[in-house]
Amino acid sequence: PAEQNAILLGQNNLKIKTENSEFFINVYSPIAKNEHLPAQASAKVHKISSQVSILCDNIEKIEQKTKEANNQTALKTSVSRVMETEDFRAMQSESVTNFNFKENEVTASDIGNAYHYAMQIIPFNLKSDEEVKNFLQENLAENVLKLIDYHKITKCLNSLSRWTLGADKIIREGKFYLYVPHNQVVSGSKITDKILIQGIVDLVIIKGNETILLDYKTTRQNSEEILKEKYKIQMECYQIAVENALKRPVSSKILYSFYKDCAILFDK
């Protein structure tokens, strides 16, 4: 269609652009190739063209309404993006020197990802540095291994054993989508419209009547109170998601700090 905000990309993708968004739809191959179409196909193309035009108009109306009502608040976000709000931005700067790497060699994000990869696959019954080292060397790439202190992983496993030992069920890397009012997850917000939040819960442990929610952190921070305040909203989002999914209350929320080598419990 000859729409100003619709352009062909490649052979069979149509990119729809509005003021604040862009997305793609599949295009019938002969259209993209500009081939001659039979009458019946042409009629279908004309119908699709009209639908695309209406779709663009509707999206622009929705965006304008959202912009006016929410002051350009995103309809979809992630837990990480929520953490980047002004309340937390001042606490986001993280050096990595205490993980024995120079700042120009590796970022805090690289180290965080490495430890998350390790904890995603590590068996919770390993007890010694040698067991941990052997397992990770067999299952992780060298570029990830070089960012990990095996002893920190061993300390983590031993610390978490009070919850993991004898657990009925352990859930790792649980992905979720959460539809909640904006003012429930962004401090100081007066916007009551709901937004879609996506995230990943590192670990959920079900043990008897207990449901333990746990998140791994490599943040360079000694103060447990600052850590709990920094990740309070994130853990509340996780709690809502877990309780909705499992239909059972979360009994404990825990941060495990690889920087401090300890578990930090939130007050009930």
Side-chain angles (χ1 to χ4, degrees):
E3 295 291 329
Q4 291 183 350
N5 54 357
I7 58 174
L8 285 174
L9 295 179
Q11 282 199 340
N12 55 0
N13 282 317
L14 183 67
K15 183 177 183 180
I16 308 296
K17 297 188 67 175
T18 66
E19 180 182 357
N20 298 311
S21 299
E22 62 182 42
F23 59 95
F24 301 86
I25 62 173
N26 290 328
V27 179
Y28 182 47
S29 182
I31 300 175
K33 297 177 181 178
N34 199 25
E35 296 176 356
H36 177 72
L37 300 173
Q40 186 178 6
S42 296
K44 291 183 179 180
V45 170
H46 179 73
K47 182 178 180 180
I48 294 172
S49 173
S50 300
Q51 291 172 341
V52 169
S53 178
I54 293 171
L55 182 61
C56 291
D57 290 342
N58 286 342
I59 289 173
E60 288 176 341
K61 290 176 182 177
I62 291 172
E63 287 178 342
Q64 183 60 32
K65 184 177 180 181
T66 302
K67 180 178 178 180
E68 293 170 357
N70 295 351
N71 191 25
Q72 288 188 302
T73 298
L75 291 177
K76 180 180 179 182
T77 187
S78 65
V79 171
S80 298
R81 197 167 298 168
V82 170
M83 298 299 293
E84 292 171 1
T85 57
E86 188 172 349
D87 293 342
F88 300 100
R89 198 170 293 139
M91 292 185 277
Q92 288 296 323
S93 177
E94 299 174 3
S95 172
V96 297
T97 54
N98 281 59
F99 284 93
N100 301 319
F101 280 87
K102 296 179 181 179
E103 292 185 29
N104 62 350
E105 291 180 340
V106 65
T107 68
S109 178
D110 292 331
I111 289 176
N113 289 336
Y115 278 84
H116 276 80
Y117 291 151
M119 295 308 299
Q120 185 178 349
I121 63 172
I122 197 84
F124 285 105
N125 61 350
L126 302 186
K127 297 180 180 180
S128 69
D129 288 346
E130 191 65 24
E131 288 177 313
V132 169
K133 181 179 179 180
N134 290 339
F135 179 86
L136 293 180
Q137 285 181 340
E138 292 176 0
N139 291 278
L140 291 180
E142 184 61 35
N143 64 322
V144 177
L145 285 172
K146 71 178 184 179
L147 304 181
I148 294 173
D149 181 338
Y150 300 120
H151 189 52
K152 284 185 173 291
I153 300 293
T154 305
K155 283 184 176 181
C156 177
L157 295 176
N158 290 333
S159 177
L160 300 187
S161 64
R162 74 188 89 167
W163 298 293
T164 59
L165 186 64
D168 300 314
K169 188 174 184 179
I170 293 177
I171 303 170
R172 310 193 204 205
E173 298 286 312
K175 297 180 181 179
F176 71 87
Y177 291 89
L178 189 63
Y179 197 47
V180 293
H182 185 268
N183 60 0
Q184 286 188 13
V185 293
V186 177
S187 177
S189 172
K190 297 181 180 179
I191 299 170
T192 58
D193 288 12
K194 290 185 176 182
I195 58 173
L196 181 64
I197 296 178
Q198 59 186 9
I200 301 176
V201 179
D202 288 340
L203 186 66
V204 177
I205 304 167
I206 299 173
K207 190 174 184 178
N209 294 325
E210 290 187 282
T211 303
I212 299 110
L213 167 61
L214 190 141
D215 201 62
Y216 306 117
K217 298 298 178 189
T218 54
T219 308
R220 288 187 71 254
Q221 176 56 252
N222 277 315
S223 170
E224 293 187 9
E225 292 307 312
I226 289 178
L227 282 171
K228 287 194 287 187
E229 183 60 28
K230 178 177 181 178
Y231 295 109
K232 177 182 177 181
I233 291 178
Q234 178 181 0
M235 296 300 281
E236 287 176 352
C237 289
Y238 288 176
Q239 179 176 351
I240 295 171
V242 169
E243 291 180 343
N244 286 345
L246 300 181
K247 307 303 180 187
R248 52 188 289 158
V250 168
S251 53
S252 301
K253 291 182 291 186
I254 302 168
L255 292 177
Y256 184 85
S257 169
F258 280 102
Y259 180 71
K260 289 174 60 65
D261 296 319
C262 70
I264 302 169
L265 278 70
F266 283 79
D267 297 330
K268 293 184 179 180

